Amino acid sequence: MSTAVSKTNPGNFFEDFTLGQVLTHATPRTVTEGDRALYGAIYPTRFAVPSSAAFASSVGLNPQPVEDLIAFHVAFGKTVPDISLNAVANLGYAECRFLKPVAPGDTLSTSSEVIGLKQNSNGASGVVYVRSTAVNQHGETVLQWARWVMVHKRDRDAPAPETVLPDLAAVVDPADLVVPRGLSFSNYDLVAAGEPHRWGDYEVGERIDHVDGVTISDAEHMMATRLWQNTAKVHFNTQARPDGHRLVYGGHIISLARALSFNGLANAQLIGAINAGSHVAPAFAGDTVYAWSEVLDKAETPAPGVGAIRLRLVATKDRDETMTLRGEDGKYAPGVLLDLDLWAFIPV
Amino acid sequence: MSTAVSKTNPGNFFEDFTLGQVLTHATPRTVTEGDRALYGAIYPTRFAVPSSAAFASSVGLNPQPVEDLIAFHVAFGKTVPDISLNAVANLGYAECRFLKPVAPGDTLSTSSEVIGLKQNSNGASGVVYVRSTAVNQHGETVLQWARWVMVHKRDRDAPAPETVLPDLAAVVDPADLVVPRGLSFSNYDLVAAGEPHRWGDYEVGERIDHVDGVTISDAEHMMATRLWQNTAKVHFNTQARPDGHRLVYGGHIISLARALSFNGLANAQLIGAINAGSHVAPAFAGDTVYAWSEVLDKAETPAPGVGAIRLRLVATKDRDETMTLRGEDGKYAPGVLLDLDLWAFIPV
Amino acid sequence: MSTAVSKTNPGNFFEDFTLGQVLTHATPRTVTEGDRALYGAIYPTRFAVPSSAAFASSVGLNPQPVEDLIAFHVAFGKTVPDISLNAVANLGYAECRFLKPVAPGDTLSTSSEVIGLKQNSNGASGVVYVRSTAVNQHGETVLQWARWVMVHKRDRDAPAPETVLPDLAAVVDPADLVVPRGLSFSNYDLVAAGEPHRWGDYEVGERIDHVDGVTISDAEHMMATRLWQNTAKVHFNTQARPDGHRLVYGGHIISLARALSFNGLANAQLIGAINAGSHVAPAFAGDTVYAWSEVLDKAETPAPGVGAIRLRLVATKDRDETMTLRGEDGKYAPGVLLDLDLWAFIPV
């Protein structure tokens, strides 16, 4: 007769990862119109492409894709049970490229390759670098990204692996952005999209206060996080943390900030890449989240009428009209929750 | 380098509206089966037409329409950023007619024409009357309504426009109701629909206590309100009101009352028109909402087996078994949240 | 002029039921992809068949069925207004067999036959036994089950019916399980499904601690319960119980426990039957629910690669690593919320 826990997934510990190892993550997941509706119920998104099949078709996207971040969260969620169930911290993202839009009916599967390992000097944990790839039911890659997490060791006496640090780009080269096939902003309807601001209207260095705020509720962030089949206990179980609070999934803050950014960046319709991202501070129910953006760069693309804009998207607890990222000490200003660096496609 | 807020939508102020002006509202929105499911998760609705594709087909509606109020909320939500972002109060509705059922896959767009203006004597605000029209992706009008809102002036010194008050009907003439094409209640299944009461069983003057109550939660009303892309801050942000409460969107109370009215009016399957509506008092999470109806009028329609019934639908905070609308002073009785006057289609 | 409540459904009382009576329940309900998405938002489910259309197709299920418990809850919800609106207690289930998978687009209707009656010795209530049958739009039976409830009498003086107790099986004979047509686990992908454990890896008597816990929120259990059109007041209305709490629908605990059981029973993909079930204690928002399972029996099936496993699925408030069902006194251990006995299909 077997004992408790023997059949449940204990997750991987630092010494379970080896360089070059490929992990095929479980439970492929079919995206549906139900996901689109729930995304719109949980986040105040109004971007015209995922909102309107007619608008999407008018810019060459048929079938109508879901929000890019739905694909991101579904693909990312698959990796949690194998990569980060025993993670101390989610340290960073890089080279996240959106390679093909995802539409209802698409089934996503994710695999990850270990591309770097570094044991911490304390001997109790280490940093694992993986490159994850999500494919659809046709085997086409829809999303690829690198991330690194600090993971506990099961056994402090397990030998340290050779340190290998991957070479990751600080920013995705605009030449490597993949514009969705067929996308054209030549006949883009600015009125339907909600704002008149084009690529040429944004200056590098410009900051945009997105003005609106949303107070987080537990039911909403749990529902979103479950949708992505993210299994991390701290998001759902008040007994999993000493403070008795449910920790909001970092991806919830990403989606909230992206949705709030509509007000001022309504035409930044699609995400081309996430260059980097830091979850600076935890968030909890009752916190009111605001967002501001900084234009970091601009680039051209080969697609008709389509420009690329590089944005720093910052989420804060409470509104900071000064839009201060860091204090004089170089540390993140109080209230900063998220510092995300991304490329978006916008009509020129 | 630009400064904060410059690219965000400040909304229109009273002096921005001119008579005859047409506003084309942003972000067309495609309705999906996900909306139907969420509506059923948030409201205790059981009307057979939107619940069952087989039932809808049996009364001549194929494809199966979504709840009429989904169309109403989506169409209405589009107008908020342009019409009522700076509103002091939503004063009333009139002549709201449902002209064509909306089914999953339909994309709705809304525009509004300014049909009346009247500056208030205080010089700080004025009343704007608009007639809004929602069309589907084929350009067919699905919904049309008038409403009037009190809007702040940006500048008290801006000149007052000429006062023009539109001529709005107190009640939609039953001859102007549009029965959905193909609708027939000739083979209506009363057992499947849930109640035996037909058009002939209701008397003018009759009141029906719908008995059931629902206690509001913040997550639910926020999810509904976001689904309709309603951007009014007070519904989502505890910092947007001095009392720290999220104000429940008035349309949430309309949907809640309509769903509760199933118990006693299960056969009032479709809404033909909203004649008038007042949001009498604000509602907040924790309030328990009940509903009662009064039969105001009855009319025939040209469609087979289809009658029209005019109902006053009243939502109350806490149950009022006396079903009192107004006190002896003529003011609304304490607890009344909503006073809605509508025409519905019901089998004769 | 009529008075309050006259047109609303008062529900049936004990003396309204007669042996052999057939009740056709109202509001057929079409299942959609929106239901699947909401189920995945509310419950942490990851079973590969309902999660992935590609996986479902690979085991012979096309169209992709929704979670078996969606069919159960929808079918069950229909019976509430006629059977248990005036119930004192839901006493038990038996002989619940899943006869055909339900997919989006299917419309479910339910009817019930009274198969037993027994007035309580107190003369104020009695037990009603019904066998309920849910059919789809083609008239095919998708689910059938017996349950018995204690129902109030309207009038204590109403005569007692003859006592008839139905003969109900303690366990569904494995020979009576209906494997979904076309189901084959011959090419089952254990990696995609998430765990390596097959039928042969489970021993009768084995217990599995599913480890994870979920803290209940009111918005989530209300949304689930409304989805199933369950109208029992106590789930939605804080004024319906003296303690001011919303009682969690027992089916919510069933779904929560089933979803949690993925961790250790990921390959128990489909439910074949529910043999028995007891809602041992009420649950409320704030409770953290865990689950454990005990393997009660195993059986073969005629379908390729498909085995049957009989499981006791237990939900508890707070985690019980000892997995104790009953104390030495034979009573359920403190914290036990649900004791469910079911057959599932799992690859051999």
Side-chain angles (χ1 to χ4, degrees):
Chain A
M1 200 147 110
S2 54
T3 55
V5 191
S6 65
K7 284 203 166 59
T8 55
N9 173 26
N12 288 309
F13 290 86
F14 181 68
E15 62 266 42
D16 297 325
F17 294 98
T18 56
L19 197 71
Q21 179 186 9
V22 174
L23 299 101
T24 304
H25 306 301
T27 56
R29 163 85 153 70
T30 304
V31 171
T32 74
E33 287 294 352
D35 295 308
R36 190 199 304 278
L38 270 157
Y39 198 88
I42 295 171
Y43 304 109
T45 181
R46 295 172 63 216
F47 292 101
V49 166
S51 174
S52 165
F55 189 96
S57 184
S58 77
V59 298
L61 300 178
N62 193 341
Q64 183 197 8
V66 295
E67 292 266 344
D68 301 306
L69 290 174
I70 290 181
F72 176 79
H73 294 311
V74 168
F76 181 92
K78 308 264 131 279
T79 71
V80 169
D82 298 320
I83 305 294
S84 49
L85 208 63
N86 301 305
V88 191
N90 196 19
L91 299 173
Y93 307 97
E95 300 184 0
C96 174
R97 291 189 306 148
F98 293 76
L99 301 169
K100 192 178 161 65
V102 171
D106 285 350
T107 299
L108 303 188
S109 305
T110 309
S111 61
S112 300
E113 181 180 352
V114 179
I115 58 171
L117 290 168
K118 181 177 186 302
Q119 181 164 313
N120 287 332
S121 53
N122 65 9
S125 58
V127 179
V128 180
Y129 296 77
V130 294
R131 185 178 306 280
S132 299
T133 303
V135 299
N136 65 18
Q137 71 279 19
H138 306 300
E140 299 164 317
T141 301
V142 299
L143 193 63
Q144 195 169 62
W145 72 97
R147 77 163 165 141
W148 50 107
V149 291
M150 190 183 300
V151 181
H152 284 294
K153 291 181 73 172
R154 183 188 296 106
D155 172 10
R156 284 183 67 115
D157 297 333
E162 186 188 356
T163 294
V164 175
L165 298 180
D167 186 25
L168 296 172
V171 181
V172 172
D173 187 324
D176 292 335
L177 295 174
V178 176
V179 181
R181 190 174 173 157
L183 183 70
S184 166
F185 286 158
S186 298
N187 297 306
Y188 189 91
D189 183 342
L190 289 167
V191 172
E195 289 185 352
H197 320 303
R198 293 175 171 279
W199 186 83
D201 299 322
Y202 292 91
E203 289 175 59
V204 173
E206 178 176 354
R207 293 187 182 199
I208 301 146
D209 181 349
H210 300 302
V211 177
D212 302 311
V214 169
T215 307
I216 295 175
S217 84
D218 272 323
E220 290 173 305
H221 77 75
M222 286 196 289
M223 290 179 73
T225 307
R226 273 193 215 100
L227 262 190
W228 322 131
Q229 299 182 323
N230 182 322
T231 56
K233 300 181 208 310
V234 287
H235 306 317
F236 307 106
N237 185 339
T238 59
Q239 301 179 341
R241 288 170 50 96
D243 64 7
H245 293 304
R246 297 165 178 106
L247 179 70
V248 174
Y249 161 50
H252 186 66
I253 304 299
I254 294 178
S255 282
L256 205 42
R258 165 75 177 152
L260 291 170
S261 79
F262 177 90
N263 201 348
L265 281 164
N267 296 313
Q269 288 285 352
L270 300 162
I271 300 178
I274 295 175
N275 298 305
S278 293
H279 298 290
V280 176
F284 303 97
D287 291 351
T288 301
V289 177
Y290 294 77
W292 57 268
S293 292
E294 179 182 1
V295 180
L296 296 178
D297 200 358
K298 294 165 66 177
E300 298 181 347
T301 85
V306 179
I309 186 168
R310 186 179 155 211
L311 300 163
R312 179 194 304 287
L313 175 59
V314 177
T316 59
K317 176 181 170 181
D318 302 331
R319 187 171 171 198
D320 174 18
E321 296 187 53
T322 69
M323 296 185 276
T324 304
L325 185 68
R326 293 177 186 276
E328 292 183 5
D329 58 2
K331 292 184 183 164
Y332 280 109
V336 172
L337 298 174
L338 171 76
D339 176 13
L340 196 74
D341 179 336
L342 58 87
W343 280 108
F345 298 124
I346 186 167
V348 293
Chain B
M1 202 145 110
S2 53
T3 54
V5 191
S6 65
K7 283 203 167 59
T8 54
N9 174 27
N12 288 309
F13 290 85
F14 181 67
E15 62 266 43
D16 297 324
F17 295 98
T18 56
L19 196 73
Q21 179 186 9
V22 174
L23 299 102
T24 304
H25 305 300
T27 56
R29 163 85 153 69
T30 305
V31 171
T32 74
E33 287 293 353
D35 294 308
R36 190 199 303 280
L38 270 157
Y39 198 88
I42 295 172
Y43 304 109
T45 181
R46 295 171 63 215
F47 292 101
V49 166
S51 174
S52 164
F55 190 95
S57 184
S58 78
V59 296
L61 300 178
N62 193 340
Q64 183 198 7
V66 296
E67 292 266 345
D68 301 306
L69 290 174
I70 290 181
F72 176 78
H73 293 311
V74 168
F76 180 92
K78 308 265 132 278
T79 69
V80 170
D82 299 320
I83 305 294
S84 49
L85 208 62
N86 301 305
V88 191
N90 196 18
L91 298 174
Y93 307 97
E95 299 185 1
C96 175
R97 291 188 306 149
F98 294 77
L99 300 170
K100 192 177 161 66
V102 172
D106 284 351
T107 299
L108 303 188
S109 305
T110 309
S111 61
S112 299
E113 181 181 352
V114 179
I115 57 170
L117 290 168
K118 181 179 186 303
Q119 182 165 310
N120 288 332
S121 53
N122 65 10
S125 58
V127 179
V128 180
Y129 296 77
V130 294
R131 187 178 305 279
S132 299
T133 303
V135 300
N136 66 18
Q137 70 279 19
H138 306 300
E140 299 164 317
T141 301
V142 299
L143 193 63
Q144 195 170 61
W145 71 98
R147 77 163 165 141
W148 50 107
V149 292
M150 190 183 301
V151 181
H152 284 294
K153 291 182 73 173
R154 183 189 295 106
D155 172 11
R156 285 182 67 116
D157 297 332
E162 187 187 355
T163 293
V164 175
L165 297 180
D167 187 26
L168 297 171
V171 180
V172 173
D173 187 324
D176 292 334
L177 295 174
V178 176
V179 180
R181 190 174 172 157
L183 184 70
S184 165
F185 287 159
S186 298
N187 297 307
Y188 190 92
D189 183 341
L190 289 166
V191 173
E195 289 184 352
H197 320 302
R198 293 174 170 279
W199 186 84
D201 298 322
Y202 293 91
E203 287 175 60
V204 173
E206 177 176 356
R207 295 189 181 197
I208 302 147
D209 180 348
H210 300 302
V211 176
D212 303 310
V214 169
T215 308
I216 294 176
S217 84
D218 273 322
E220 290 172 306
H221 77 75
M222 286 195 289
M223 291 180 72
T225 307
R226 272 193 216 101
L227 261 191
W228 322 130
Q229 300 183 323
N230 182 323
T231 56
K233 301 182 207 312
V234 288
H235 306 317
F236 307 106
N237 184 339
T238 59
Q239 301 178 340
R241 288 170 51 94
D243 65 6
H245 292 304
R246 297 166 178 106
L247 178 70
V248 174
Y249 162 49
H252 187 66
I253 304 299
I254 294 178
S255 281
L256 205 42
R258 165 75 176 152
L260 290 170
S261 79
F262 178 91
N263 201 349
L265 281 163
N267 296 313
Q269 288 285 351
L270 300 161
I271 300 178
I274 295 175
N275 300 304
S278 294
H279 298 290
V280 177
F284 302 98
D287 290 352
T288 301
V289 177
Y290 295 76
W292 58 269
S293 293
E294 179 181 0
V295 180
L296 297 178
D297 200 358
K298 294 166 65 176
E300 297 183 348
T301 84
V306 179
I309 186 168
R310 184 179 156 211
L311 300 163
R312 180 193 303 286
L313 175 59
V314 177
T316 59
K317 176 180 171 181
D318 302 332
R319 187 171 171 197
D320 173 18
E321 296 187 54
T322 69
M323 297 185 277
T324 304
L325 185 68
R326 294 177 185 275
E328 293 184 4
D329 57 3
K331 293 185 183 164
Y332 280 109
V336 172
L337 299 174
L338 171 76
D339 177 12
L340 196 76
D341 179 336
L342 58 88
W343 280 108
F345 298 124
I346 185 167
V348 294
Chain C
M1 201 145 113
S2 53
T3 54
V5 192
S6 66
K7 284 205 165 56
T8 55
N9 174 25
N12 288 309
F13 290 85
F14 181 68
E15 62 265 44
D16 298 324
F17 295 97
T18 56
L19 197 72
Q21 179 187 9
V22 174
L23 299 102
T24 304
H25 306 300
T27 58
R29 164 85 154 68
T30 304
V31 172
T32 73
E33 287 294 352
D35 294 307
R36 190 199 304 279
L38 270 157
Y39 198 88
I42 295 171
Y43 304 108
T45 180
R46 294 170 64 216
F47 292 101
V49 165
S51 174
S52 165
F55 190 95
S57 184
S58 78
V59 298
L61 299 178
N62 193 341
Q64 183 197 9
V66 295
E67 293 265 344
D68 301 306
L69 290 173
I70 290 181
F72 176 78
H73 294 311
V74 168
F76 181 92
K78 308 264 131 278
T79 70
V80 169
D82 299 320
I83 305 294
S84 48
L85 208 62
N86 301 305
V88 191
N90 195 19
L91 299 173
Y93 307 98
E95 299 184 2
C96 175
R97 292 188 305 149
F98 293 76
L99 300 170
K100 192 177 162 65
V102 171
D106 285 350
T107 299
L108 304 189
S109 306
T110 308
S111 61
S112 299
E113 182 180 354
V114 178
I115 57 171
L117 290 167
K118 181 178 187 301
Q119 181 164 312
N120 287 332
S121 54
N122 65 10
S125 58
V127 179
V128 180
Y129 296 77
V130 294
R131 186 178 307 277
S132 300
T133 304
V135 300
N136 65 18
Q137 71 278 20
H138 306 299
E140 299 164 317
T141 301
V142 299
L143 193 63
Q144 195 169 62
W145 72 99
R147 78 165 166 139
W148 50 108
V149 292
M150 192 183 301
V151 181
H152 284 294
K153 290 182 75 173
R154 183 189 295 105
D155 171 11
R156 284 184 68 117
D157 297 332
E162 187 187 356
T163 294
V164 175
L165 298 179
D167 186 25
L168 296 171
V171 181
V172 172
D173 187 322
D176 292 335
L177 295 174
V178 176
V179 181
R181 190 174 172 157
L183 183 71
S184 166
F185 286 158
S186 298
N187 297 306
Y188 190 92
D189 183 341
L190 289 167
V191 172
E195 289 184 353
H197 321 301
R198 292 173 171 281
W199 186 83
D201 299 321
Y202 293 91
E203 288 174 60
V204 173
E206 177 177 355
R207 293 187 182 199
I208 301 148
D209 180 350
H210 300 304
V211 177
D212 302 311
V214 169
T215 308
I216 294 175
S217 85
D218 272 322
E220 290 172 306
H221 77 76
M222 285 195 289
M223 291 179 72
T225 307
R226 272 194 216 100
L227 262 190
W228 322 131
Q229 299 181 322
N230 182 323
T231 56
K233 300 181 207 311
V234 288
H235 306 317
F236 307 106
N237 185 338
T238 58
Q239 302 179 340
R241 287 170 51 95
D243 64 7
H245 293 303
R246 297 166 177 108
L247 178 70
V248 174
Y249 162 49
H252 187 65
I253 304 298
I254 294 177
S255 281
L256 205 43
R258 165 75 177 152
L260 290 170
S261 79
F262 177 90
N263 201 349
L265 281 164
N267 296 313
Q269 289 284 353
L270 300 161
I271 300 179
I274 295 175
N275 299 305
S278 294
H279 298 291
V280 177
F284 303 97
D287 290 352
T288 301
V289 177
Y290 295 76
W292 58 268
S293 292
E294 178 182 359
V295 179
L296 296 178
D297 200 357
K298 295 165 66 177
E300 298 183 348
T301 85
V306 180
I309 186 168
R310 185 180 155 210
L311 300 162
R312 179 194 303 284
L313 174 59
V314 177
T316 59
K317 176 181 171 180
D318 303 330
R319 187 170 170 197
D320 173 18
E321 296 186 53
T322 69
M323 297 185 276
T324 304
L325 185 68
R326 293 177 185 276
E328 292 184 5
D329 56 4
K331 293 185 182 164
Y332 280 109
V336 172
L337 299 174
L338 171 76
D339 176 13
L340 195 75
D341 179 337
L342 58 87
W343 281 107
F345 297 123
I346 186 168
V348 292

